[in-house]
Amino acid sequence: MNQNNWNILPQPSEKVVRQLSTQLNISQFMSTIVAQRGYTDPESAFKYLQPSVEQLHDPMLLHDMDRTIERLQDAAFGGEKIVVYGDYDMDGVTSTAIMVEALEVLGADVTPYIPNRFSDGYGPNIDTYKKLIADGAQLIVTVDNGVSGQEAVEYAMSQGIDVIITDHHEMPATLPNAYAVIHPRHPEGQYPFGDLSGAGVAFKVAQALLNEGQPVEDQTELPTELLDLVALGEISDMVSLTDENRVLVSWGLKQINVSPRPGLTAVLKNAGKKDNEPVISETVSFKIAPRLNAVGRLGDASLSLKLLLSQDPDESTAIASEVEAINAQRQEIVEEVFGSAKQMALSEEYKNDQVLVIAGQDWHQGILGIVASRLVELLQKPTIVLSLTDGVYKGSGRTFGDFDLYQFMNTFHDLYDTFGGHASALGLAIFPEQLDVLKEQVRLNSAKLQIHAKPININTTLSVNEISTETYEELRLLEPFGTGNQQPVFGLQQPKINKVTTMGNLKQHIKLALENNVEAVGFNHPDWVPMVANPVGLSFAATLGINYFRGRKTIQLLLTAINTPEATAENAAHKKFFAQVYKFIYAHQDLNFAQNLDKIAEQLNINKNDLNIMIQVFIELGFVHVTNGFVTIISGAAQKPLTTSITYQKYLANR
């Protein structure tokens, strides 16, 4: 990653920084970062740094909330059998737990139902609804799903079984004919914040239900015992951690740190959390969520729900051990499938594709999204990973940079059996006879695309001597970090590197020992290993973290990008060769390179492997595209340094 991809954020005026620092009693360093986030006056900055109950919105502003509360109270006090119909991911499981615990406070007869990813699928399933009704359900409450379930909801309502939908997903043009629909972006609603997760929506229902619709003036008037579940759901679903989400998640994380549920205590112990290590948003994202999500990916997510609802430490320990074993199995499956998918993606057939469609057989459906994300990280291309199961290819796609993968793939919607998603992620199913057609259409329509990495926003540059545990602790005031409130990123210009170590079974991680007892680590970047083999003149973009080891806390830089040095004599020579090849391509666009590669390499006096690498670099930089062996210039392509190409960085490192 080259510094040309670094975006140094504008620095606020000295007046703003001084005012924030003086009135809020924070350092000028902190004041700078707060102001960069748009909080330039003391009042808005204080609200940002000190989430309070006044920042929460009235749940009665949600459409149909009054009908919902009345119906839930009638069902609870009337002894009706209520089924809470959830979802198998973390947000769905926590939403279910929130609604179940809130209804149990009223003494309701409530039963949770977590659909199975493979047999039920996502959202209301008509066959499952029929079974639930046959088993005596008198009221169905959906959480984290429902707005796309017209058929199942219509059936239940026709049988005299009311359905209350609570959801946050994209709404179809026509909503189901349910008894009530609670959604923060309902077109007839008045709710001022639209980015609640499923757990957030469930909590707002619980808040209104347990306060009988009355406004709250103090945090103690809220069902605070549910806030830990809200934090888990909202962080894992990557909703915006701004507005009231920031309040709910902040309080939820505090609750986990002060009084964690037995299930969370057991999960965190298995995850290796140290006694002096606080639970922050990163802990949820990398230690809790992957484990609880693994259960729903491979089997029945009801086990995760049981873990969260349990109040018995011994039972929780036993369930957490099951969860840990399932997560280990998930990791093994991911590595196996990733290995196969990576081999295909790097093959001759796919190496020139701008958008990858990788298809295998009998790959586990529950982990294809993870594999797609890993391939995107490795190859820096939008990637769709499919697996043939029961006669249909099903899978997930993840985008790269700011490319709208959903819009692009929606162009071919006539080829799919099912299709859905958003700009950065999607899911689809396609019959085998249509797969080759899809691949060809994707290749044809993506050949001239220029897909760029998102710029890395750098708050400011720091020297190693300015980094300390005190700096990190001050930055924790900005927590919780996540979507809409990203962790600050700092640039370090050519720090002195005393030692380089590789880590991991595949040597895919690096650790650098810097001056001032500061260490820097980079995870899952095998492409960085050759770059640091001769670590002279490297610059980094990094976030700050803490390493907890044997009761000690040491500051740690978490690398997000490495800049390779330019302008050495050798690099200048390389540039000359690349310019020579580019000129040749420009003059021979009617020549089939695939059929004449040996002759072209001989004419240019370079070896065939180097010629292939140079063409791949030009493709990555958007200078050329390749069709049926012909290499053609993309007219009007923006000028970019060679070092912005990952392939070029590897080429330099291995010379």
PDB file of all heavy atoms in Angstrom, residues 251-276:
ATOM      1  N   TRP A 251     -23.128   1.783  26.996  1.00  0.00           N
ATOM      2  CA  TRP A 251     -23.641   1.258  28.263  1.00  0.00           C
ATOM      3  C   TRP A 251     -23.603  -0.272  28.288  1.00  0.00           C
ATOM      4  O   TRP A 251     -23.328  -0.881  29.320  1.00  0.00           O
ATOM      5  CB  TRP A 251     -25.066   1.756  28.492  1.00  0.00           C
ATOM      6  CG  TRP A 251     -25.150   3.221  28.792  1.00  0.00           C
ATOM      7  CD1 TRP A 251     -24.121   4.063  29.119  1.00  0.00           C
ATOM      8  CD2 TRP A 251     -26.325   4.032  28.778  1.00  0.00           C
ATOM      9  NE1 TRP A 251     -24.584   5.338  29.312  1.00  0.00           N
ATOM     10  CE2 TRP A 251     -25.935   5.360  29.116  1.00  0.00           C
ATOM     11  CE3 TRP A 251     -27.666   3.792  28.517  1.00  0.00           C
ATOM     12  CZ2 TRP A 251     -26.847   6.407  29.200  1.00  0.00           C
ATOM     13  CZ3 TRP A 251     -28.579   4.835  28.605  1.00  0.00           C
ATOM     14  CH2 TRP A 251     -28.167   6.138  28.943  1.00  0.00           C
ATOM     15  N   GLY A 252     -23.875  -0.880  27.147  1.00  0.00           N
ATOM     16  CA  GLY A 252     -23.851  -2.339  27.091  1.00  0.00           C
ATOM     17  C   GLY A 252     -22.464  -2.902  27.355  1.00  0.00           C
ATOM     18  O   GLY A 252     -22.316  -3.903  28.067  1.00  0.00           O
ATOM     19  N   LEU A 253     -21.435  -2.267  26.792  1.00  0.00           N
ATOM     20  CA  LEU A 253     -20.063  -2.724  27.039  1.00  0.00           C
ATOM     21  C   LEU A 253     -19.674  -2.542  28.503  1.00  0.00           C
ATOM     22  O   LEU A 253     -18.993  -3.396  29.090  1.00  0.00           O
ATOM     23  CB  LEU A 253     -19.092  -1.966  26.126  1.00  0.00           C
ATOM     24  CG  LEU A 253     -19.155  -2.325  24.637  1.00  0.00           C
ATOM     25  CD1 LEU A 253     -18.288  -1.371  23.820  1.00  0.00           C
ATOM     26  CD2 LEU A 253     -18.726  -3.769  24.395  1.00  0.00           C
ATOM     27  N   LYS A 254     -20.118  -1.424  29.107  1.00  0.00           N
ATOM     28  CA  LYS A 254     -19.844  -1.219  30.534  1.00  0.00           C
ATOM     29  C   LYS A 254     -20.479  -2.324  31.368  1.00  0.00           C
ATOM     30  O   LYS A 254     -19.883  -2.827  32.333  1.00  0.00           O
ATOM     31  CB  LYS A 254     -20.370   0.150  30.976  1.00  0.00           C
ATOM     32  CG  LYS A 254     -19.532   1.319  30.471  1.00  0.00           C
ATOM     33  CD  LYS A 254     -20.130   2.658  30.898  1.00  0.00           C
ATOM     34  CE  LYS A 254     -19.318   3.824  30.343  1.00  0.00           C
ATOM     35  NZ  LYS A 254     -19.912   5.141  30.663  1.00  0.00           N
ATOM     36  N   GLN A 255     -21.690  -2.728  30.986  1.00  0.00           N
ATOM     37  CA  GLN A 255     -22.368  -3.785  31.730  1.00  0.00           C
ATOM     38  C   GLN A 255     -21.606  -5.102  31.625  1.00  0.00           C
ATOM     39  O   GLN A 255     -21.468  -5.840  32.614  1.00  0.00           O
ATOM     40  CB  GLN A 255     -23.793  -3.968  31.206  1.00  0.00           C
ATOM     41  CG  GLN A 255     -24.593  -5.004  31.989  1.00  0.00           C
ATOM     42  CD  GLN A 255     -25.983  -5.194  31.417  1.00  0.00           C
ATOM     43  OE1 GLN A 255     -26.552  -4.275  30.862  1.00  0.00           O
ATOM     44  NE2 GLN A 255     -26.515  -6.396  31.549  1.00  0.00           N
ATOM     45  N   ILE A 256     -21.097  -5.415  30.431  1.00  0.00           N
ATOM     46  CA  ILE A 256     -20.327  -6.651  30.249  1.00  0.00           C
ATOM     47  C   ILE A 256     -19.068  -6.616  31.107  1.00  0.00           C
ATOM     48  O   ILE A 256     -18.669  -7.633  31.691  1.00  0.00           O
ATOM     49  CB  ILE A 256     -19.963  -6.849  28.766  1.00  0.00           C
ATOM     50  CG1 ILE A 256     -21.234  -7.072  27.931  1.00  0.00           C
ATOM     51  CG2 ILE A 256     -19.015  -8.036  28.592  1.00  0.00           C
ATOM     52  CD1 ILE A 256     -20.995  -7.099  26.435  1.00  0.00           C
ATOM     53  N   ASN A 257     -18.440  -5.452  31.223  1.00  0.00           N
ATOM     54  CA  ASN A 257     -17.220  -5.341  32.030  1.00  0.00           C
ATOM     55  C   ASN A 257     -17.503  -5.442  33.520  1.00  0.00           C
ATOM     56  O   ASN A 257     -16.703  -6.001  34.276  1.00  0.00           O
ATOM     57  CB  ASN A 257     -16.512  -4.021  31.719  1.00  0.00           C
ATOM     58  CG  ASN A 257     -15.696  -4.073  30.440  1.00  0.00           C
ATOM     59  OD1 ASN A 257     -14.688  -4.761  30.369  1.00  0.00           O
ATOM     60  ND2 ASN A 257     -16.142  -3.369  29.415  1.00  0.00           N
ATOM     61  N   VAL A 258     -18.648  -4.908  33.946  1.00  0.00           N
ATOM     62  CA  VAL A 258     -18.955  -4.860  35.385  1.00  0.00           C
ATOM     63  C   VAL A 258     -19.661  -6.133  35.849  1.00  0.00           C
ATOM     64  O   VAL A 258     -19.314  -6.699  36.896  1.00  0.00           O
ATOM     65  CB  VAL A 258     -19.833  -3.621  35.703  1.00  0.00           C
ATOM     66  CG1 VAL A 258     -20.299  -3.662  37.157  1.00  0.00           C
ATOM     67  CG2 VAL A 258     -19.064  -2.345  35.423  1.00  0.00           C
ATOM     68  N   SER A 259     -20.652  -6.587  35.073  1.00  0.00           N
ATOM     69  CA  SER A 259     -21.459  -7.723  35.511  1.00  0.00           C
ATOM     70  C   SER A 259     -21.840  -8.596  34.322  1.00  0.00           C
ATOM     71  O   SER A 259     -22.987  -8.592  33.872  1.00  0.00           O
ATOM     72  CB  SER A 259     -22.727  -7.206  36.220  1.00  0.00           C
ATOM     73  OG  SER A 259     -23.535  -8.270  36.669  1.00  0.00           O
ATOM     74  N   PRO A 260     -20.881  -9.350  33.796  1.00  0.00           N
ATOM     75  CA  PRO A 260     -21.153 -10.144  32.594  1.00  0.00           C
ATOM     76  C   PRO A 260     -22.067 -11.335  32.875  1.00  0.00           C
ATOM     77  O   PRO A 260     -22.059 -11.888  33.976  1.00  0.00           O
ATOM     78  CB  PRO A 260     -19.761 -10.614  32.163  1.00  0.00           C
ATOM     79  CG  PRO A 260     -18.970 -10.638  33.428  1.00  0.00           C
ATOM     80  CD  PRO A 260     -19.494  -9.512  34.258  1.00  0.00           C
ATOM     81  N   ARG A 261     -22.850 -11.708  31.884  1.00  0.00           N
ATOM     82  CA  ARG A 261     -23.641 -12.939  31.972  1.00  0.00           C
ATOM     83  C   ARG A 261     -22.696 -14.133  32.103  1.00  0.00           C
ATOM     84  O   ARG A 261     -21.574 -14.115  31.577  1.00  0.00           O
ATOM     85  CB  ARG A 261     -24.478 -13.114  30.706  1.00  0.00           C
ATOM     86  CG  ARG A 261     -25.567 -12.107  30.532  1.00  0.00           C
ATOM     87  CD  ARG A 261     -26.180 -12.127  29.142  1.00  0.00           C
ATOM     88  NE  ARG A 261     -27.200 -11.082  29.071  1.00  0.00           N
ATOM     89  CZ  ARG A 261     -28.514 -11.303  29.166  1.00  0.00           C
ATOM     90  NH1 ARG A 261     -28.956 -12.556  29.272  1.00  0.00           N
ATOM     91  NH2 ARG A 261     -29.369 -10.308  29.138  1.00  0.00           N
ATOM     92  N   PRO A 262     -23.157 -15.201  32.766  1.00  0.00           N
ATOM     93  CA  PRO A 262     -22.299 -16.388  32.900  1.00  0.00           C
ATOM     94  C   PRO A 262     -21.817 -16.916  31.553  1.00  0.00           C
ATOM     95  O   PRO A 262     -20.667 -17.348  31.424  1.00  0.00           O
ATOM     96  CB  PRO A 262     -23.204 -17.401  33.605  1.00  0.00           C
ATOM     97  CG  PRO A 262     -24.189 -16.573  34.367  1.00  0.00           C
ATOM     98  CD  PRO A 262     -24.421 -15.350  33.532  1.00  0.00           C
ATOM     99  N   GLY A 263     -22.681 -16.863  30.550  1.00  0.00           N
ATOM    100  CA  GLY A 263     -22.298 -17.358  29.228  1.00  0.00           C
ATOM    101  C   GLY A 263     -21.174 -16.556  28.608  1.00  0.00           C
ATOM    102  O   GLY A 263     -20.259 -17.110  27.996  1.00  0.00           O
ATOM    103  N   LEU A 264     -21.226 -15.232  28.763  1.00  0.00           N
ATOM    104  CA  LEU A 264     -20.171 -14.384  28.213  1.00  0.00           C
ATOM    105  C   LEU A 264     -18.858 -14.580  28.971  1.00  0.00           C
ATOM    106  O   LEU A 264     -17.778 -14.573  28.375  1.00  0.00           O
ATOM    107  CB  LEU A 264     -20.589 -12.919  28.249  1.00  0.00           C
ATOM    108  CG  LEU A 264     -21.708 -12.517  27.284  1.00  0.00           C
ATOM    109  CD1 LEU A 264     -22.017 -11.029  27.415  1.00  0.00           C
ATOM    110  CD2 LEU A 264     -21.333 -12.859  25.850  1.00  0.00           C
ATOM    111  N   THR A 265     -18.948 -14.742  30.275  1.00  0.00           N
ATOM    112  CA  THR A 265     -17.749 -15.012  31.078  1.00  0.00           C
ATOM    113  C   THR A 265     -17.052 -16.268  30.572  1.00  0.00           C
ATOM    114  O   THR A 265     -15.820 -16.305  30.402  1.00  0.00           O
ATOM    115  CB  THR A 265     -18.119 -15.176  32.562  1.00  0.00           C
ATOM    116  OG1 THR A 265     -18.704 -13.969  33.046  1.00  0.00           O
ATOM    117  CG2 THR A 265     -16.889 -15.512  33.399  1.00  0.00           C
ATOM    118  N   ALA A 266     -17.838 -17.314  30.306  1.00  0.00           N
ATOM    119  CA  ALA A 266     -17.273 -18.584  29.853  1.00  0.00           C
ATOM    120  C   ALA A 266     -16.678 -18.465  28.453  1.00  0.00           C
ATOM    121  O   ALA A 266     -15.598 -18.998  28.174  1.00  0.00           O
ATOM    122  CB  ALA A 266     -18.350 -19.670  29.886  1.00  0.00           C
ATOM    123  N   VAL A 267     -17.374 -17.756  27.553  1.00  0.00           N
ATOM    124  CA  VAL A 267     -16.874 -17.576  26.185  1.00  0.00           C
ATOM    125  C   VAL A 267     -15.555 -16.795  26.197  1.00  0.00           C
ATOM    126  O   VAL A 267     -14.594 -17.154  25.505  1.00  0.00           O
ATOM    127  CB  VAL A 267     -17.915 -16.849  25.304  1.00  0.00           C
ATOM    128  CG1 VAL A 267     -17.298 -16.377  23.993  1.00  0.00           C
ATOM    129  CG2 VAL A 267     -19.092 -17.763  25.011  1.00  0.00           C
ATOM    130  N   LEU A 268     -15.508 -15.722  26.988  1.00  0.00           N
ATOM    131  CA  LEU A 268     -14.303 -14.888  27.033  1.00  0.00           C
ATOM    132  C   LEU A 268     -13.124 -15.637  27.650  1.00  0.00           C
ATOM    133  O   LEU A 268     -11.976 -15.438  27.239  1.00  0.00           O
ATOM    134  CB  LEU A 268     -14.601 -13.605  27.811  1.00  0.00           C
ATOM    135  CG  LEU A 268     -15.499 -12.612  27.074  1.00  0.00           C
ATOM    136  CD1 LEU A 268     -15.994 -11.524  28.021  1.00  0.00           C
ATOM    137  CD2 LEU A 268     -14.758 -11.993  25.893  1.00  0.00           C
ATOM    138  N   LYS A 269     -13.395 -16.492  28.596  1.00  0.00           N
ATOM    139  CA  LYS A 269     -12.317 -17.309  29.181  1.00  0.00           C
ATOM    140  C   LYS A 269     -11.733 -18.222  28.111  1.00  0.00           C
ATOM    141  O   LYS A 269     -10.505 -18.340  27.973  1.00  0.00           O
ATOM    142  CB  LYS A 269     -12.847 -18.131  30.353  1.00  0.00           C
ATOM    143  CG  LYS A 269     -11.774 -18.978  31.026  1.00  0.00           C
ATOM    144  CD  LYS A 269     -12.335 -19.754  32.208  1.00  0.00           C
ATOM    145  CE  LYS A 269     -11.236 -20.603  32.858  1.00  0.00           C
ATOM    146  NZ  LYS A 269     -11.761 -21.389  34.004  1.00  0.00           N
ATOM    147  N   ASN A 270     -12.610 -18.869  27.334  1.00  0.00           N
ATOM    148  CA  ASN A 270     -12.141 -19.752  26.259  1.00  0.00           C
ATOM    149  C   ASN A 270     -11.402 -18.981  25.173  1.00  0.00           C
ATOM    150  O   ASN A 270     -10.511 -19.521  24.506  1.00  0.00           O
ATOM    151  CB  ASN A 270     -13.316 -20.506  25.641  1.00  0.00           C
ATOM    152  CG  ASN A 270     -13.899 -21.549  26.569  1.00  0.00           C
ATOM    153  OD1 ASN A 270     -13.235 -21.989  27.512  1.00  0.00           O
ATOM    154  ND2 ASN A 270     -15.128 -21.950  26.326  1.00  0.00           N
ATOM    155  N   ALA A 271     -11.777 -17.708  24.998  1.00  0.00           N
ATOM    156  CA  ALA A 271     -11.152 -16.876  23.966  1.00  0.00           C
ATOM    157  C   ALA A 271      -9.813 -16.306  24.411  1.00  0.00           C
ATOM    158  O   ALA A 271      -9.142 -15.618  23.636  1.00  0.00           O
ATOM    159  CB  ALA A 271     -12.089 -15.734  23.583  1.00  0.00           C
ATOM    160  N   GLY A 272      -9.424 -16.566  25.658  1.00  0.00           N
ATOM    161  CA  GLY A 272      -8.112 -16.132  26.136  1.00  0.00           C
ATOM    162  C   GLY A 272      -8.075 -14.724  26.671  1.00  0.00           C
ATOM    163  O   GLY A 272      -6.993 -14.122  26.765  1.00  0.00           O
ATOM    164  N   LYS A 273      -9.237 -14.167  27.048  1.00  0.00           N
ATOM    165  CA  LYS A 273      -9.246 -12.816  27.608  1.00  0.00           C
ATOM    166  C   LYS A 273      -8.499 -12.794  28.939  1.00  0.00           C
ATOM    167  O   LYS A 273      -8.710 -13.634  29.805  1.00  0.00           O
ATOM    168  CB  LYS A 273     -10.685 -12.339  27.817  1.00  0.00           C
ATOM    169  CG  LYS A 273     -10.790 -10.972  28.489  1.00  0.00           C
ATOM    170  CD  LYS A 273     -12.223 -10.650  28.843  1.00  0.00           C
ATOM    171  CE  LYS A 273     -12.305  -9.433  29.756  1.00  0.00           C
ATOM    172  NZ  LYS A 273     -11.646  -9.643  31.052  1.00  0.00           N
ATOM    173  N   LYS A 274      -7.607 -11.813  29.100  1.00  0.00           N
ATOM    174  CA  LYS A 274      -6.843 -11.682  30.339  1.00  0.00           C
ATOM    175  C   LYS A 274      -7.681 -10.973  31.409  1.00  0.00           C
ATOM    176  O   LYS A 274      -8.608 -10.218  31.105  1.00  0.00           O
ATOM    177  CB  LYS A 274      -5.565 -10.867  30.092  1.00  0.00           C
ATOM    178  CG  LYS A 274      -4.731 -11.374  28.926  1.00  0.00           C
ATOM    179  CD  LYS A 274      -4.252 -12.794  29.118  1.00  0.00           C
ATOM    180  CE  LYS A 274      -3.226 -13.200  28.060  1.00  0.00           C
ATOM    181  NZ  LYS A 274      -3.778 -13.189  26.697  1.00  0.00           N
ATOM    182  N   ASP A 275      -7.332 -11.197  32.671  1.00  0.00           N
ATOM    183  CA  ASP A 275      -8.103 -10.627  33.782  1.00  0.00           C
ATOM    184  C   ASP A 275      -8.115  -9.103  33.758  1.00  0.00           C
ATOM    185  O   ASP A 275      -9.106  -8.473  34.129  1.00  0.00           O
ATOM    186  CB  ASP A 275      -7.537 -11.121  35.125  1.00  0.00           C
ATOM    187  CG  ASP A 275      -7.824 -12.606  35.355  1.00  0.00           C
ATOM    188  OD1 ASP A 275      -8.755 -13.126  34.711  1.00  0.00           O
ATOM    189  OD2 ASP A 275      -7.106 -13.235  36.154  1.00  0.00           O
ATOM    190  N   ASN A 276      -6.997  -8.506  33.350  1.00  0.00           N
ATOM    191  CA  ASN A 276      -6.913  -7.038  33.363  1.00  0.00           C
ATOM    192  C   ASN A 276      -7.275  -6.424  32.012  1.00  0.00           C
ATOM    193  O   ASN A 276      -7.060  -5.233  31.787  1.00  0.00           O
ATOM    194  CB  ASN A 276      -5.501  -6.594  33.763  1.00  0.00           C
ATOM    195  CG  ASN A 276      -4.434  -7.081  32.773  1.00  0.00           C
ATOM    196  OD1 ASN A 276      -4.634  -8.081  32.085  1.00  0.00           O
ATOM    197  ND2 ASN A 276      -3.310  -6.374  32.727  1.00  0.00           N
TER     198      ASN A 276
END
